[in-house]
Amino acid sequence: MKYNPQKIEKKWQKQWEKEKLYEAKDFGHKNYMLLAEFPYTSGNLHMGHWFTYSIADIYGRYLRMNGYNVMYPIGFDAFGLPAENAAIKHGSTPEKWTKKNISNMTKQLHSIGAGFDWSRVVDTSDPEYYKWTQWIFLKLYEAGLAYRAKTFVNWCPHDKTVLANEQVIDGKCDRCGNIVEQRELSQWMFKITSFADVLIDDLEGLDWPETTKIAQKNWIGRSEGAKIKFPVKDQEHAVEVFTTRPDTIFGATFLVVSPELAKKWIEIGWKASQEVIEYISTSLRKTELQRQEESDKTGVFAGFNAVNPMTEKEIPIWVGDYVLGGYGTGALMAVPAHDQRDFEFAKKYTLPIKEVVLNEGDFIGKANESEGVLINSDGFDGMPSVEAREKITQALKDKGLGEFHKTYRLHDWILSRQRYWGAPIPMIQCSECGYQPVPVEDLPVKLPKLTDFLPVEGGKSPLARSEKWVKIKCPKCGGPAERETDTIDTFVDSSWYFMRYTDPKNEQELVSKEKMDKWLPVPLYIGGREHNTMHLLYARFITKALNSLGVIEFPEPFLSRRNHGVIMGPDGKRMSKSKGNVIDPDTEVDKYGADSVRMNFAFLGPFEQDYAWNSNNIGGVNRFLNRVWNILERFNDKQRTVKEAREIDVAISRAVKDVGNDIKQHKFNTGVSGLMKLVNSLEAEVGEGKLSKENTEKILKVIAPFAPHITEELWQEVLGNSDSVHLQSWPEYDEILLDQELITLVIQVNGKLRDTLQVKPGISEDEVKNLALVSDQVQRSLEGKEPKKFIYIQNKLLNIVI
RNA sequence: GCCGAGGUGGUGAAACUGGCAGACACGCCAGCCUUAGGAGCUGGUGCCCGUAAGGGUGUGUGGGUUCAAAUCCCACCCUCGGCACCA
């Protein structure tokens, strides 16, 4: 019979599902949730999904064979803007479109032949799921961690919705690529900033890629310094600034406030000049991108002065849009001698520049931003700048005008979306009582079915159009009230889905304590780098928030994290329909079978790296599987000599040991090469038909994690076993046998390879020397000279120095 | 600008704590088989010299440590990624 993957793969996929072979039982022992990011439902499965799910599956199968109770769950990230946009584009509704995708993806997921636990599927757009997303919102609201506030937000004019900072890349919408505008709107937010410190500090204990940790640290962007108050001349109030260089305060010759802060001052009664008002409104009309791209700094004198609390001298206050409204206090003390941006501003508007830190070097025409010794700073002269930071802040603190302060680049997470396809925010607005939470017993707040769900300009959610749905009684006073019409950001849905896998049908709680204790936190999470500062940060925040509220008992969701690479098109560019370089996994499966596709991904190389799709590679592993089939299918257990039996045992032992170690270390590529070596040596040295049944079984077991279908077929149909190969234990290997094998000892002369010797392990130095010195090769290289020195490394090499 | 990761054949890559560089494949070349092959099998394949045996050379560049360096140290070049008018 010929190897026919299409036929045997479908057969076993059905059989496995029928037998519920991969459903995880809630044991209390060696439980292991193997988490791979669930797919987003805007389309079908692509090569990237296949890559992730195949390599994770290899690892999962290996763990199962080593006695772990593995849960390999799968679900669907089904809500959100991209799914809604795709539905609009295809003239469908988000619900129909998503359902259709889920059903097709389910078929595709089965075709991988992965050991998914289909009894635990979650769908974030299912009311039974988003009920708990809404519950989490209410929990955080009760605790003051969810709040509503008016701020400047990122508005995508194309998608007609607010975006979180994490969803803005280079000033553009993460999803559609349009330039994002700034608008001032009232939005619901999560107080992620109150966890900023632990989100940085707890990274230390995690087994995560260093790159991901650093990306998160950079994203949170902690800086330490001081908040300092500069009293306004002849007035009650003061301008507060944040600085990381309080040591340079004696050189602060003016203040600059952001247009955002200046606007707030006007709102509370400041009578600004016409020039200032115009400057502010021009600046605020600019997009974030425009403001960043301007190299030339602009500003305008505010019309009044502040007092430098250290020098007690009057300094002017300016409004300038190089100062960001959303960072620190929205105002800064300008030290033109020691900050390049302030220097440029001072040069342009001829403001005074005063040097206060002395150090060697030429700083003509630019600011000196390095550390040094203080000058022109009264009692602090001669003090190193690092020390002066402490002392000056302390001095200011004593005056009641300063304090040590940390500030963060991270902003609170804006979770309101003015779009249809999401979980409604469970809040009710009453004209008498203000915002009131939906009572928990009324959850879920179901998303109403709308015929017209398209987004509109102006910041109103489509849900506002369903009057029947919007109108409701106030849960507090019973008077007329309205539902909140914005929906929850999809990233909230996906920030807790892994918890739900442990207890997907629980109607009483998010997750029962019993299940949580058995499965969480997640020991290993495999996913894409694009989530470094989005999903992974959000999931950590939600975990920490729920942990602080006593809902869950662990402070970190994912103990180890591995990022997988991206599968590019054959041209080395990201696959996309517009580039016409998309390779469809289904086509490859039809052609070569799932086992070949899986093995191809394992064999590519380290799975953290990106790869261009190369159709030749898959031909290689397909050829390999054909050879496996041909050798093992004709299994007939002929007589073999002692020597042959030993050679077979050595080859198998070596594979069991090496391949096992490779999988354990996630080195799937060398694992495959180990299997290829095994088959090569069996073919070359022994030929077909000389494997015992025991030999054959061991071989199938080590291939099984990589190619589950072909091994199952051979295991059951050819060897006649009645249970699955995937329920077997990982085979034992004979360490002593491996230790007795001849080793290749390297003979060098002056560090250059001249000969090799096949010797028994443990051979003595003298024996090696004698063998080496009679070698023709060695003699020729010695050129008649006397060896000065011998370097001998046991079982490795002899280096003769002349 | 700051921070991080990485540079090994024509290609993907391998090389455990410094110890045979290029395992395992892809591709290519030659041969066998075949009416045919985007099938199969056998052999070869870093580069240079040589029919060969063999010799030289070789892991981004330059230097260093060592009996011995892809691996350790110093300087530099290049590629990719994160942050960036962040005070």
Side-chain angles (χ1 to χ4, degrees):
Chain A
M1 230 175 36
K2 268 189 80 180
Y3 170 46
N4 184 345
Q6 288 74 20
K7 204 171 139 198
I8 63 172
E9 289 180 354
K10 288 231 169 55
K11 175 174 100 184
W12 290 114
Q13 284 159 14
K14 273 187 203 141
Q15 181 67 18
W16 294 333
E17 209 189 342
K18 205 174 115 201
E19 290 175 8
K20 303 186 194 306
L21 198 65
Y22 307 115
E23 285 187 12
K25 307 289 178 294
D26 285 310
F27 300 142
H29 179 61
K30 280 186 112 173
N31 282 358
Y32 197 100
M33 191 205 286
L34 175 64
L35 188 65
E37 282 166 3
F38 64 167
Y40 191 75
T41 56
S42 57
N44 290 338
L45 286 197
H46 55 249
M47 280 297 179
H49 294 117
W50 262 83
F51 187 25
T52 314
Y53 298 138
S54 340
I55 54 176
D57 189 55
I58 294 168
Y59 190 61
R61 286 176 186 277
Y62 175 76
L63 290 179
R64 269 194 203 102
M65 293 178 87
N66 281 279
Y68 284 87
N69 179 34
V70 173
M71 183 211 291
Y72 186 20
I74 190 75
F76 300 96
D77 191 7
F79 262 148
L81 195 148
E84 185 180 319
N85 282 351
I88 293 168
K89 197 175 147 197
H90 291 87
S92 183
T93 69
E95 195 175 1
K96 276 191 209 153
W97 177 253
T98 304
K99 284 232 163 80
K100 185 180 143 255
N101 285 337
I102 288 180
S103 115
N104 193 45
M105 283 177 136
T106 302
K107 253 188 249 162
Q108 288 184 296
L109 286 163
H110 274 102
S111 77
I112 299 174
F116 291 127
D117 183 341
W118 288 100
S119 70
R120 296 171 186 268
V121 173
V122 300
D123 166 359
T124 58
S125 68
D126 181 344
E128 284 307 306
Y129 180 91
Y130 68 70
K131 171 182 174 178
W132 297 103
T133 308
Q134 292 171 334
W135 183 86
I136 289 172
F137 175 89
L138 292 179
K139 251 336 216 193
L140 266 62
Y141 175 77
E142 267 172 44
L145 290 172
Y147 64 99
R148 191 176 169 85
K150 193 178 178 188
T151 47
F152 283 91
V153 298
N154 307 299
W155 175 266
C156 174
H158 175 265
D159 286 331
K160 299 185 180 69
T161 186
V162 164
L163 301 170
N165 282 329
E166 288 79 357
Q167 291 153 15
V168 181
I169 313 291
D170 294 331
K172 293 174 189 150
C173 173
D174 175 33
R175 293 302 180 177
C176 67
N178 278 272
I179 293 175
V180 167
E181 296 169 0
Q182 302 304 302
R183 289 195 182 180
E184 205 176 15
L185 291 171
S186 280
Q187 302 288 306
W188 288 100
M189 306 206 245
F190 280 149
K191 228 179 199 166
I192 188 170
T193 52
S194 61
F195 291 86
D197 275 325
V198 279
L199 283 169
I200 289 178
D201 298 341
D202 290 356
L203 284 169
E204 200 149 317
L206 297 178
D207 171 29
W208 283 29
E210 211 46 41
T211 47
T212 304
K213 292 188 186 182
I214 287 160
Q216 293 208 351
K217 273 185 210 163
N218 285 344
W219 183 260
I220 297 167
R222 175 161 67 192
S223 345
E224 299 186 30
K227 265 206 293 207
I228 301 169
K229 281 185 182 141
F230 284 68
V232 176
K233 183 74 182 165
D234 302 327
Q235 288 194 47
E236 291 291 300
H237 41 262
V239 179
E240 192 167 39
V241 304
F242 173 75
T243 179
T244 53
R245 291 295 299 271
D247 50 306
T248 62
I249 191 167
F250 286 87
T253 49
F254 56 100
L255 299 184
V256 192
V257 304
S258 60
E260 287 86 351
L261 182 61
K263 185 173 177 242
K264 275 191 192 131
W265 287 355
I266 290 171
E267 279 165 8
I268 57 170
W270 174 36
K271 302 273 183 291
S273 70
Q274 197 54 39
E275 194 194 0
V276 170
I277 290 168
E278 265 167 33
Y279 179 79
I280 292 169
S281 63
T282 317
S283 292
L284 292 181
R285 268 200 304 275
K286 292 177 192 166
T287 64
E288 199 81 336
L289 203 61
Q290 283 171 322
R291 254 169 93 167
Q292 276 170 24
E293 276 170 356
E294 269 168 16
S295 52
D296 198 29
K297 291 178 178 48
T298 59
V300 58
F301 177 51
F304 56 103
N305 294 337
V307 177
N308 183 321
M310 293 310 287
T311 62
E312 316 235 319
K313 291 219 173 77
E314 268 185 55
I315 57 172
I317 300 173
W318 284 65
V319 180
D321 67 7
Y322 79 97
V323 180
L324 305 172
Y327 185 75
T329 60
L332 59 81
M333 64 176 209
V335 186
H338 304 290
D339 182 287
Q340 187 58 26
R341 295 152 302 180
D342 300 344
F343 180 82
E344 285 164 22
F345 194 82
K347 278 278 171 198
K348 182 166 175 189
Y349 295 106
T350 51
L351 292 159
I353 299 171
K354 181 186 171 194
E355 264 190 90
V356 291
V357 179
L358 184 69
N359 52 14
E360 286 166 29
D362 180 12
F363 296 101
I364 294 165
K366 61 176 182 190
N368 164 16
E369 297 185 339
S370 34
E371 306 288 349
V373 171
L374 265 60
I375 52 168
N376 299 327
S377 300
D378 295 355
F380 298 94
D381 283 358
M383 191 182 281
S385 48
V386 177
E387 188 190 343
R389 286 218 255 290
E390 289 272 328
K391 295 278 158 63
I392 289 179
T393 307
Q394 191 56 50
L396 286 161
K397 200 175 168 189
D398 295 342
K399 291 187 184 190
L401 290 173
E403 57 182 304
F404 293 94
H405 186 73
K406 282 185 278 190
T407 196
Y408 306 89
R409 212 197 67 97
L410 181 74
H411 285 57
D412 277 341
W413 176 6
I414 298 170
L415 62 100
S416 306
R417 292 293 175 276
Q418 293 68 41
R419 294 288 295 240
Y420 171 71
W421 192 233
I425 295 172
M427 294 296 290
I428 291 166
Q429 191 180 15
C430 170
S431 50
E432 294 297 316
C433 316
Y435 275 102
Q436 294 298 320
V438 171
V440 174
E441 56 274 20
D442 293 348
L443 294 183
V445 177
K446 283 198 187 166
L447 185 64
K449 289 203 193 306
L450 291 186
T451 42
D452 176 18
F453 54 85
L454 296 181
V456 284
E457 192 53 40
K460 260 285 186 205
S461 163
L463 291 186
R465 277 174 252 154
S466 176
E467 228 177 272
K468 211 176 98 202
W469 182 82
V470 169
K471 284 203 171 138
I472 189 163
K473 279 185 192 144
C474 170
K476 196 175 176 194
C477 71
E482 294 190 342
R483 285 190 188 280
E484 167 64 57
T485 56
D486 285 355
T487 51
I488 298 177
D489 181 8
T490 333
F491 277 105
V492 181
D493 306 332
S494 59
S495 61
W496 70 280
Y497 74 107
F498 54 95
M499 301 181 197
R500 191 65 179 172
Y501 280 142
T502 67
D503 201 2
K505 307 217 162 61
N506 195 329
E507 290 178 17
Q508 308 309 315
E509 322 160 78
L510 187 85
V511 180
S512 77
K513 187 181 171 325
E514 184 209 342
K515 309 263 175 165
M516 198 154 66
D517 287 348
K518 279 180 176 154
W519 294 106
L520 296 170
V522 175
L524 175 63
Y525 191 18
I526 297 175
R529 288 185 295 251
E530 69 274 21
H531 292 301
N532 279 351
T533 55
M534 297 214 256
H535 164 61
L536 287 176
L537 194 63
Y538 291 143
R540 293 183 65 219
F541 158 67
I542 291 291
T543 301
K544 286 185 182 304
L546 293 177
N547 179 232
S548 74
L549 302 175
V551 177
I552 58 176
E553 294 183 0
F554 46 93
E556 282 289 338
F558 318 122
L559 299 182
S560 25
R561 164 80 184 186
R562 294 291 178 270
N563 293 336
H564 63 249
V566 178
I567 303 298
M568 307 287 193
D571 54 1
K573 298 196 176 104
R574 220 166 242 280
M575 286 194 198
S576 80
K577 272 183 201 147
S578 60
K579 286 191 209 114
N581 62 350
V582 176
I583 307 286
D584 177 23
D586 295 355
T587 321
E588 301 300 309
V589 174
D590 285 347
K591 211 161 145 193
Y592 299 100
D595 281 339
S596 290
V597 178
R598 294 167 56 106
M599 207 156 202
N600 172 56
F601 282 129
F603 192 45
L604 280 180
F607 76 89
E608 299 84 357
Q609 291 178 30
D610 297 344
Y611 296 95
W613 179 264
N614 181 342
S615 48
N616 289 323
N617 291 340
I618 190 163
V621 290
N622 186 251
R623 205 149 34 233
F624 168 74
L625 290 176
N626 262 300
R627 287 166 63 210
V628 169
W629 180 268
N630 290 337
I631 298 173
L632 299 185
E633 196 227 7
R634 280 173 280 163
F635 154 79
N636 61 8
D637 209 358
K638 273 185 208 149
Q639 285 300 310
R640 49 212 159 253
T641 65
V642 173
K643 187 169 173 269
E644 281 170 341
R646 184 190 162 92
E647 275 170 14
I648 292 169
D649 284 345
V650 168
I652 293 174
S653 269
R654 179 146 292 143
V656 171
K657 183 182 179 184
D658 292 350
V659 175
N661 282 336
D662 285 338
I663 300 177
K664 210 185 291 173
Q665 297 166 59
H666 303 151
K667 288 162 66 176
F668 306 106
N669 55 330
T670 48
V672 175
S673 100
L675 298 176
M676 288 174 168
K677 280 181 198 167
L678 171 64
V679 170
N680 287 349
S681 63
L682 292 178
E683 265 186 345
E685 292 179 26
V686 183
E688 56 190 61
K690 299 230 172 159
L691 299 171
S692 68
K693 187 171 186 219
E694 195 198 344
N695 291 152
T696 313
E697 289 190 341
K698 277 192 181 174
I699 296 168
L700 287 178
K701 285 180 198 170
V702 292
I703 305 177
F706 297 88
H709 307 90
I710 188 177
T711 47
E712 186 78 305
E713 176 76 11
L714 293 166
W715 178 265
Q716 298 205 29
E717 304 293 345
V718 175
L719 295 186
N721 289 302
S722 56
D723 56 351
S724 170
V725 67
H726 303 298
L727 297 176
Q728 310 306 312
S729 292
W730 188 255
E732 306 279 329
Y733 64 89
D734 191 342
E735 185 77 64
I736 294 162
L737 189 69
L738 291 180
D739 285 348
Q740 288 168 346
E741 277 294 282
L742 291 186
I743 49 164
T744 307
L745 214 133
V746 171
I747 309 299
Q748 296 179 334
V749 176
N750 277 353
K752 285 197 175 164
L753 174 76
R754 293 303 170 188
D755 205 355
T756 58
L757 301 175
Q758 298 295 315
V759 296
K760 285 199 180 118
I763 188 170
S764 77
E765 182 170 353
D766 286 341
E767 278 180 274
V768 173
K769 273 186 203 164
N770 292 336
L771 285 170
L773 289 171
V774 299
S775 148
D776 290 349
Q777 308 264 22
V778 173
Q779 278 305 325
R780 203 174 325 141
S781 314
L782 290 178
E783 296 166 342
K785 291 175 192 155
E786 259 318 289
K788 274 189 213 146
K789 198 158 109 182
F790 291 92
I791 310 266
Y792 179 68
I793 310 288
Q794 178 81 46
N795 295 344
K796 279 238 163 89
L797 102 172
L798 178 73
N799 188 9
I800 305 169
V801 186
I802 56 169

